[in-house]
């Protein structure tokens, strides 16, 4: 069971590469390279998945780093984080499946007046289909089948759906 609620035979756990700071740094630099000329002032990521990679992208861009998190189910800025009107923000995630977390983070930032320039992730497992409301790039684009639980063949065979991710509020 993915964070999105969809079922898939394949789970991509970016934490396993991001546990190595040098790899995280290099992935951050690779994403940052795509936005070198975009005058990004702030990188923002949805917690928890986007925290490490977003921080590394911000470091590589010389930008500020903030994050959004869920409060009563809604993705919001907390901890005194704020954005200025028109502030140029890049949203960074680890993995995009449906784009839900990124889309909600983009919306939260726009609601606070930011100019969200683009979104980026290490992995896009939607084969490029996920829409997040701003231009989006990924270091690696995969077409990994994920299905609605109602149409899941593994569930029909009685195989238990397990959730290796970390989000507990869904
Ligand atoms: Zn299933």
């Amino acid at each position: 069971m993915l964070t999105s609620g969809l079922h898939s035979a394949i789970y991509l756990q970016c934490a396993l590469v991001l546990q190595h700071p040098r790899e995280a740094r290099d992935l951050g630099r690779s994403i940052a390279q795509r936005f070198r000329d975009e005058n990004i002032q702030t990188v923002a990521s949805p917690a928890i998945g986007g925290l490490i990679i977003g921080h590394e992208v911000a470091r590589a861009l010389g930008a500020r780093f903030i994050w959004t998190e869920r409060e009563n189910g809604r993705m919001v800025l907390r901890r005194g984080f704020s954005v200025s009107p028109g502030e140029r923000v890049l949203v960074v995630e680890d993995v995009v499946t449906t784009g839900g977390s990124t889309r909600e983070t983009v919306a939260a930032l726009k609601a606070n007046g930011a100019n969200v320039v683009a979104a980026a992730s290490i992995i896009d497992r939607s084969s490029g289909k996920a829409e997040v409301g701003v231009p989006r790039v990924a270091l690696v684009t995969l077409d990994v089948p994920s299905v609605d639980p109602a149409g899941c063949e593994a569930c029909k065979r009685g195989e238990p759906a397990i959730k290796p991710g970390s989000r507990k509020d869904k």
Side-chain angles (χ1 to χ4, degrees):
M1 188 186 303
L2 307 177
T3 303
S4 58
L6 300 179
H7 287 186
S8 176
I10 297 169
Y11 188 82
L12 293 162
Q13 182 52 276
C14 276
L16 293 177
V17 66
L18 296 173
Q19 70 181 314
H20 303 291
R22 271 174 290 191
E23 308 293 337
R25 176 197 63 195
D26 291 348
L27 290 166
R29 284 177 177 169
S30 297
I31 291 174
Q33 225 159 25
R34 318 279 184 102
F35 299 97
R36 192 164 277 164
D37 303 321
E38 294 285 352
N39 198 15
I40 301 298
Q41 297 171 279
T42 296
V43 174
S45 298
I48 296 174
L51 290 183
I52 293 172
I53 187 61
H55 189 263
E56 291 296 337
V57 173
R59 186 202 303 274
L61 287 172
R64 186 165 72 104
F65 177 67
I66 60 176
W67 63 88
T68 59
E69 56 201 304
R70 287 187 188 283
E71 187 176 57
N72 303 320
R74 284 187 59 231
M75 201 68 99
V76 293
L77 286 173
R78 296 178 60 190
R79 303 175 191 270
F81 289 147
S82 64
V83 288
S84 306
E87 185 169 336
R88 294 176 66 80
V89 180
L90 171 67
V91 172
V92 174
E93 262 255 59
D94 55 351
V95 182
V96 163
T97 303
T98 62
S101 300
T102 289
R103 196 162 50 237
E104 289 175 63
T105 296
V106 168
L109 291 160
K110 283 182 172 175
N112 281 272
N115 172 14
V116 183
V117 176
S121 62
I122 302 170
I123 306 283
D124 170 9
R125 47 175 296 165
S126 80
S127 70
K129 291 189 211 104
E131 296 280 351
V132 298
V134 293
R136 188 173 66 79
V137 303
L139 294 182
V140 178
T141 298
L142 303 171
D143 189 0
V144 185
S146 47
V147 298
D148 192 89
C152 178
E153 293 300 325
C155 282
K156 282 175 194 161
R157 288 194 299 269
E159 294 175 21
I162 58 163
K163 187 170 185 187
S166 55
R167 208 161 103 195
K168 295 186 179 76
D169 61 345
K170 209 176 163 186

